[in-house]
Amino acid sequence: MIKHNFSAGPSVLPKSVMKQASEAVLNFDDGLSILEISHRSKSFVEVMDKARSLALELLGLEGKGYKALFLQGGASTQFLMVALNLLEKRAGYLNSGTWADKAIKEARIYDDIYEVASSKSANYNYIPKGYEIPEDYDYFHCTSNNTIFGTQMKNFPKSPVPMVCDMSSDIFTRQIDYSQFDLIYAGAQKNMGPAGTTLVVVKEDILGKVSRKIPSMMDYKLHISKGSMFNTPPVFAVYVSMLTMQWLKDLGGIKAIEKENEKKSSLIYSEIDLNPLFKGFAAKEDRSNVNATFTLENENLKETFETMLVEAGISNVNGHRSVGGYRASMYNALTLDSVKALVEVMSELESKA
Amino acid sequence: MIKHNFSAGPSVLPKSVMKQASEAVLNFDDGLSILEISHRSKSFVEVMDKARSLALELLGLEGKGYKALFLQGGASTQFLMVALNLLEKRAGYLNSGTWADKAIKEARIYDDIYEVASSKSANYNYIPKGYEIPEDYDYFHCTSNNTIFGTQMKNFPKSPVPMVCDMSSDIFTRQIDYSQFDLIYAGAQKNMGPAGTTLVVVKEDILGKVSRKIPSMMDYKLHISKGSMFNTPPVFAVYVSMLTMQWLKDLGGIKAIEKENEKKSSLIYSEIDLNPLFKGFAAKEDRSNVNATFTLENENLKETFETMLVEAGISNVNGHRSVGGYRASMYNALTLDSVKALVEVMSELESKA
């Protein structure tokens, strides 16, 4: 049976990538496994260099003063590194979801953090708009997509200070002007690869301006100077991320995948809006193209619906506990056919009800 | 041709582990890949729990107040976390190698760090001994094995304060009383698994005693309270580490592998001592059982020797640039046959010379 994995992350990767990764575990270079080669070997240095250049190329940031790094520790470690590297006096954060809230909490250890706007009191079902970013802030931080709530920033403010964006759930999924950001970070495990590495893309000229002594592993400048190999990198996770970015490039890049992603999200949101059994959670204008959140209006149908999902090979559509209901995560590697399978079950439930 | 991979890390893993890991990339649970399953799924939570309990079991630390964590960022991040979690006023470090020196440098950002002893002026070719550890230190930090120099602590001091040990290169390789340590950490990529995760084993009662606010990702207590899943863990690296620990347990644990490791190191050191072409780098009493460092006395034979190594399928025996010469890393998964192959080449070179 074909499996339709709607997991919010770690999540589905392209079949061809999984196949190549599986083979590399047995034989990557001259009979040696990708798991046993030195990270200083010529073959792995090539992988790291290619991963770094593919990231910039896909985002349209080549030759614009940016560097790409593949670090460890997830977005949660970036909450800390952003503050350590950029926060001198005060910064502004957009509180649009659980992860934004966590980023604020971490940065507050180091200095004054202001929320420029928040949708927390509405359980984050919309993206705050119409706020000001003061010119004396060290930086402004936002979250492009809120995985848990299914909201996504469709526009970004014109910031008078460096703009930092957590793109963990929607990097590489849509065409935007990535050069409006000064620092972008994203855990790999949604659109880029397996869990275990985090992409950081940073404009070099915003670094080196804080007075604190930054610990080595937290220092972007040091990681840049060492070509993202200050210490042993997560070799396998970087390799699979490189394969996934190469897959995306071969498909036609972000432009091509965006079209697919729009088909997928249009299909599911049409069903949510037209099928009286379901109701969307997020404000319509802020609906995420990668995480669709919705509830089943009639609780009596829950068991039937969930049995039908299992029978159709659909997994991981349960909503996050802070929202409830269902969530369909439709990252780059999830196929349109998987969304069709889900929509069919939703539609079939209506005809049964 | 059989490959003999003497890499200093990332390094060779058991063949059976590589095979299982390769299969799990295609199908780990019910048709889903280990790369695409949720870290909150029942099947992965079982992997994480098993990895944590196997680590304590193998080290003989079950039921003794210790917790095992699988974190990210390598030993280099532990240099920082140890200081953040344990350093209130001052601590003592044994400076026995490059990594110990780096650990000292990182901890100095936070407070006073004293070197209880150092072999730096001798290019770390021996392990300092006969030092005192003052009772008013917050902790004492040492490095059990120095990968670059091929030295290993055969005995550990009786410390009046918590003892922290970086065991990145020799954890699980020899029978010692692991309960003499209060905190042990080790990057996976030598004796435990692929690069991308770091084992931390910590006695809970030493935590929670510093006054600083510890950032979430740096906080051992928080990671313990979340079962090593505060954020998305490096799923694949933890899985392969679990497989490798299970392989070791099935072999008979540390007791059984220690015998093999002793055979391997006896064989290479005998050859180094008996073959007039070679000379050991480390002081004899401090020689490492996992990294043998040696030089070729006659530079004219270098090319011949290295050609013979390649022809025998032997790779990654070049010494670190700070020592020069050669280094044979003989971690748990390197077979006695690989050491025999290397010794044969060394012996053959003598007969040719």
Side-chain angles (χ1 to χ4, degrees):
Chain A
M1 185 170 71
I2 295 167
K3 297 284 175 181
H4 305 289
N5 178 13
F6 285 87
S7 179
S11 50
V12 63
L13 293 175
K15 288 274 172 249
S16 61
V17 168
M18 308 245 218
K19 193 165 170 286
Q20 234 177 313
S22 172
E23 282 162 11
V25 170
L26 296 178
N27 179 4
F28 169 68
D29 182 28
D30 193 27
L32 295 185
S33 162
I34 184 77
L35 305 184
E36 66 175 316
I37 57 161
S38 168
H39 59 292
R40 305 281 177 204
S41 64
K42 188 168 168 285
S43 54
F44 183 71
V45 171
E46 278 172 15
V47 167
M48 177 59 95
D49 289 346
K50 196 168 171 194
R52 295 177 73 204
S53 70
L54 274 170
L56 294 181
E57 185 185 343
L58 288 167
L59 298 173
L61 292 177
E62 275 179 319
K64 294 182 179 171
Y66 291 83
K67 296 284 180 184
L69 299 170
F70 285 87
L71 305 179
Q72 293 185 63
S76 296
T77 299
Q78 292 310 307
F79 300 164
L80 174 59
M81 285 181 73
V82 164
L84 282 169
N85 283 270
L86 302 179
L87 183 59
E88 187 72 22
K89 286 204 178 111
R90 62 188 71 89
Y93 279 64
L94 182 65
N95 191 349
S96 61
T98 304
W99 297 102
D101 205 44
K102 289 189 184 190
I104 291 167
K105 183 181 156 248
E106 291 308 311
R108 282 213 169 116
I109 297 178
Y110 295 98
D111 232 309
D112 286 348
I113 296 297
Y114 297 91
E115 291 185 12
V116 297
S118 173
S119 52
K120 192 171 187 173
S121 62
N123 199 22
Y124 299 117
N125 73 350
Y126 71 96
I127 299 282
K129 297 167 199 82
Y131 46 85
E132 291 286 315
I133 302 167
E135 282 180 23
D136 65 343
Y137 281 6
D138 295 320
Y139 62 90
F140 165 70
H141 180 283
C142 58
T143 311
S144 57
N145 184 82
N146 301 284
T147 324
I148 293 176
F149 307 95
T151 62
Q152 187 173 37
M153 292 177 81
K154 302 298 173 183
N155 297 292
F156 294 86
K158 248 201 115 42
S159 173
V161 297
M163 183 151 65
V164 176
C165 189
D166 176 357
M167 292 195 189
S168 290
S169 44
D170 68 352
I171 196 163
F172 300 130
T173 66
R174 56 174 172 161
Q175 286 186 287
I176 48 179
D177 175 11
Y178 289 95
S179 74
Q180 66 192 301
F181 306 99
D182 299 89
L183 194 156
I184 295 166
Y185 61 88
Q189 66 268 20
K190 295 174 200 284
N191 288 294
M192 195 173 63
T197 191
T198 307
L199 171 65
V200 174
V201 173
V202 59
K203 208 164 182 176
E204 274 195 281
D205 64 12
I206 66 165
L207 301 175
K209 297 186 177 172
V210 293
S211 53
R212 76 172 57 78
K213 172 96 179 118
I214 305 169
S216 301
M217 281 299 288
M218 300 287 115
D219 186 351
Y220 293 128
K221 270 179 90 85
L222 181 61
H223 285 293
I224 290 171
S225 75
K226 300 291 184 182
S228 202
M229 298 257 250
F230 169 67
N231 71 337
T232 312
V235 172
F236 183 75
V238 174
Y239 172 67
V240 181
S241 296
M242 183 278 284
L243 293 178
T244 310
M245 288 186 289
Q246 184 63 53
W247 165 84
L248 178 55
K249 184 184 168 181
D250 293 345
L251 269 185
I254 294 179
K255 189 175 176 180
I257 205 79
E258 184 181 48
K259 277 189 196 149
E260 280 301 295
N261 289 337
E262 280 171 358
K263 282 184 209 163
K264 282 147 53 180
S265 60
S266 298
L267 189 60
I268 186 109
Y269 286 123
S270 297
E271 183 64 25
I272 289 169
D273 289 339
L274 295 173
N275 187 328
L277 299 179
F278 297 96
K279 194 180 160 189
F281 172 79
K284 281 194 183 180
E285 73 273 18
D286 299 327
R287 278 174 167 175
S288 165
N289 276 2
V290 282
N291 310 101
T293 47
F294 54 98
T295 49
L296 177 60
E297 289 298 275
N298 181 347
E299 272 293 307
N300 293 332
L301 293 171
K302 190 174 185 295
E303 208 182 308
T304 312
F305 181 49
E306 295 185 1
T307 304
M308 288 165 69
L309 290 171
V310 171
E311 282 167 357
I314 292 165
S315 61
N316 296 310
V317 287
N318 282 330
H320 190 272
R321 63 186 177 281
S322 51
V323 173
Y326 301 93
R327 171 174 54 177
S329 295
M330 305 168 292
Y331 303 123
N332 281 352
L334 186 97
T335 63
L336 181 59
D337 282 346
S338 288
V339 181
K340 281 180 183 165
L342 172 59
V343 165
E344 256 170 51
V345 170
M346 291 167 78
S347 160
E348 206 184 312
L349 187 72
E350 188 190 356
S351 63
K352 274 191 182 177
Chain B
M1 183 170 70
I2 294 166
K3 296 284 175 181
H4 305 289
N5 178 13
F6 285 86
S7 179
S11 50
V12 63
L13 292 174
K15 287 274 173 248
S16 62
V17 167
M18 308 246 219
K19 193 164 170 287
Q20 236 178 311
S22 171
E23 283 163 9
V25 170
L26 296 177
N27 180 4
F28 169 68
D29 182 29
D30 193 26
L32 295 186
S33 162
I34 184 77
L35 305 185
E36 65 174 316
I37 56 161
S38 168
H39 59 292
R40 305 283 177 202
S41 64
K42 189 169 167 287
S43 54
F44 183 71
V45 171
E46 278 172 17
V47 167
M48 177 60 94
D49 289 348
K50 196 169 173 194
R52 295 176 71 203
S53 69
L54 274 169
L56 295 181
E57 186 186 342
L58 287 167
L59 298 173
L61 292 177
E62 274 180 320
K64 293 183 179 170
Y66 291 84
K67 296 283 181 184
L69 299 170
F70 285 87
L71 305 180
Q72 293 185 61
S76 296
T77 299
Q78 293 310 308
F79 299 164
L80 175 60
M81 285 180 74
V82 164
L84 282 169
N85 283 269
L86 303 178
L87 182 59
E88 186 71 21
K89 285 203 181 111
R90 62 188 70 87
Y93 279 63
L94 181 65
N95 191 351
S96 61
T98 303
W99 297 102
D101 205 44
K102 289 189 184 192
I104 291 167
K105 183 181 157 249
E106 291 307 312
R108 281 212 169 120
I109 297 179
Y110 296 98
D111 233 312
D112 287 349
I113 297 298
Y114 298 91
E115 290 185 13
V116 297
S118 173
S119 52
K120 192 171 187 171
S121 61
N123 199 23
Y124 299 118
N125 72 350
Y126 72 97
I127 299 282
K129 297 166 200 80
Y131 46 86
E132 291 286 315
I133 302 169
E135 281 181 23
D136 64 342
Y137 280 6
D138 295 321
Y139 62 90
F140 166 69
H141 180 283
C142 57
T143 311
S144 57
N145 184 82
N146 301 284
T147 324
I148 294 175
F149 306 95
T151 62
Q152 187 173 36
M153 293 177 79
K154 302 298 174 184
N155 296 293
F156 294 87
K158 248 199 115 40
S159 173
V161 297
M163 183 150 65
V164 177
C165 189
D166 177 356
M167 292 195 189
S168 289
S169 44
D170 68 352
I171 195 161
F172 300 131
T173 65
R174 55 174 172 160
Q175 285 187 291
I176 49 178
D177 175 11
Y178 289 95
S179 74
Q180 66 191 303
F181 306 99
D182 298 89
L183 194 155
I184 295 166
Y185 60 87
Q189 66 269 16
K190 295 172 201 285
N191 289 294
M192 195 172 65
T197 192
T198 307
L199 172 64
V200 174
V201 173
V202 58
K203 207 164 185 180
E204 272 194 282
D205 64 12
I206 67 164
L207 300 175
K209 297 185 177 171
V210 292
S211 53
R212 77 172 57 78
K213 172 96 179 114
I214 304 169
S216 300
M217 281 299 288
M218 300 287 115
D219 186 353
Y220 293 128
K221 271 179 90 86
L222 181 61
H223 285 293
I224 290 171
S225 75
K226 300 291 183 181
S228 202
M229 298 259 248
F230 168 67
N231 71 337
T232 311
V235 171
F236 183 75
V238 173
Y239 172 67
V240 181
S241 297
M242 183 278 283
L243 294 178
T244 311
M245 289 187 289
Q246 184 64 53
W247 165 85
L248 179 56
K249 184 184 167 180
D250 294 345
L251 270 185
I254 294 178
K255 190 176 175 178
I257 204 79
E258 185 183 47
K259 277 190 197 149
E260 281 299 296
N261 289 338
E262 280 169 359
K263 281 185 211 163
K264 282 147 51 181
S265 60
S266 298
L267 188 60
I268 185 107
Y269 286 121
S270 299
E271 183 63 26
I272 289 169
D273 290 339
L274 295 173
N275 187 327
L277 298 179
F278 297 97
K279 193 181 161 190
F281 171 80
K284 280 194 181 179
E285 73 273 17
D286 299 326
R287 279 175 167 176
S288 166
N289 276 1
V290 282
N291 310 102
T293 47
F294 54 98
T295 50
L296 178 61
E297 290 298 275
N298 182 346
E299 273 293 308
N300 294 335
L301 292 171
K302 190 173 185 293
E303 210 182 308
T304 312
F305 181 49
E306 296 186 0
T307 304
M308 289 165 70
L309 290 171
V310 171
E311 282 167 359
I314 291 166
S315 61
N316 297 309
V317 288
N318 282 330
H320 189 273
R321 64 185 177 281
S322 51
V323 174
Y326 301 94
R327 170 173 55 175
S329 296
M330 305 168 291
Y331 303 122
N332 282 350
L334 187 98
T335 63
L336 181 59
D337 281 345
S338 288
V339 181
K340 282 181 184 164
L342 172 59
V343 165
E344 257 170 51
V345 171
M346 292 165 78
S347 160
E348 207 184 310
L349 186 72
E350 189 190 355
S351 63
K352 275 192 183 178

